[in-house]
Amino acid sequence: MRCDIVIAGVGGQGNVLASRILARAAMEYELPVQTSEAIGMAQREGVVMSHVRMGAGNYGSLIPNGGADVLLGFELAETIRGLDKIKNDGVVIANSYTIYPVSVSLGISQYDPVGLVDYLKKNTQSLYLFDATALASQAGTVKATNIVMLGALEALKLLPYGGDHLKEVMLNMIPQKLHEINLKAFELGQQAVGGA
């Protein structure tokens, strides 16, 4: 089974760690996997887009426009920026949480969350939209937003490997002291889309 996933967000949201967890899980499941990241100029709150390609038949680490099976959107505006990557029948899992760019703080540009949500609803066929950052906070830290999103992805059964395998890999990649928070975050993500 092939699965191409784009993760769109901003720096500091754990985008790269999420892509590494997905890729490591594929490798340990003995699937071919390729990854790539495009990271913005700023470490925090700069644009970050990761590509994870799992399964045979991929001829490059970048997913072409219209080629992604799944778009994981960690931030609302960045989800919309990533929409051109998704297949017509692809699945969008989006965090409704917004991070206002510096240009908005400076009064140079505007950010309209309501308009962005409307646009997202009108331009996606299969959308799961929820506040993953609030769920991560409920689990113990907003830094677990990426794990909430992975839980949602797993619950939709879109991965070529099972949820127990993904959780095991996740726990092997994060410090022991953070296991309880991240397991809770994963579970809350599953529940957000009607799973587990």
Side-chain angles (χ1 to χ4, degrees), residues 5-7 14-23 34-40 47-53 61-63:
I5 300 171
V6 169
I7 307 173
N15 185 321
V16 174
L17 177 59
S19 72
R20 295 291 182 253
I21 291 170
L22 291 169
Q34 297 176 349
T35 65
S36 176
E37 274 88 34
I39 299 174
V47 176
V48 180
M49 183 175 283
S50 298
H51 299 236
V52 182
R53 308 193 80 183
S61 58
L62 294 176
I63 299 169

Side-chain angles (χ1 to χ4, degrees), residues 46-160:
V47 176
V48 180
M49 183 175 283
S50 298
H51 299 236
V52 182
R53 308 193 80 183
M54 296 178 271
N58 290 319
Y59 301 104
S61 58
L62 294 176
I63 299 169
N65 287 353
D69 300 294
V70 180
L71 171 61
L72 283 180
F74 285 14
E75 195 280 330
L76 191 57
E78 295 309 320
T79 302
I80 291 172
R81 190 189 311 263
L83 283 180
D84 63 340
K85 291 291 180 189
I86 198 80
K87 291 178 178 177
N88 288 336
D89 61 348
V91 175
V92 178
I93 305 169
N95 183 5
S96 62
Y97 184 76
T98 55
I99 298 174
Y100 292 92
V102 173
S103 60
V104 172
S105 303
L106 296 173
I108 298 169
S109 63
Q110 296 181 347
Y111 193 115
D112 176 16
V114 174
L116 293 175
V117 168
D118 288 344
Y119 182 87
L120 198 54
K121 289 178 178 177
K122 289 176 185 171
N123 290 280
T124 55
Q125 290 183 13
S126 182
L127 173 66
Y128 296 86
L129 178 67
F130 57 94
D131 192 337
T133 303
L135 294 177
S137 182
Q138 184 181 331
T141 177
V142 295
K143 292 181 179 180
T145 299
N146 55 350
I147 304 302
V148 171
M149 297 297 285
L150 290 180
L153 173 62
E154 186 286 321
L156 295 173
K157 305 301 180 208
L158 300 170
L159 294 167

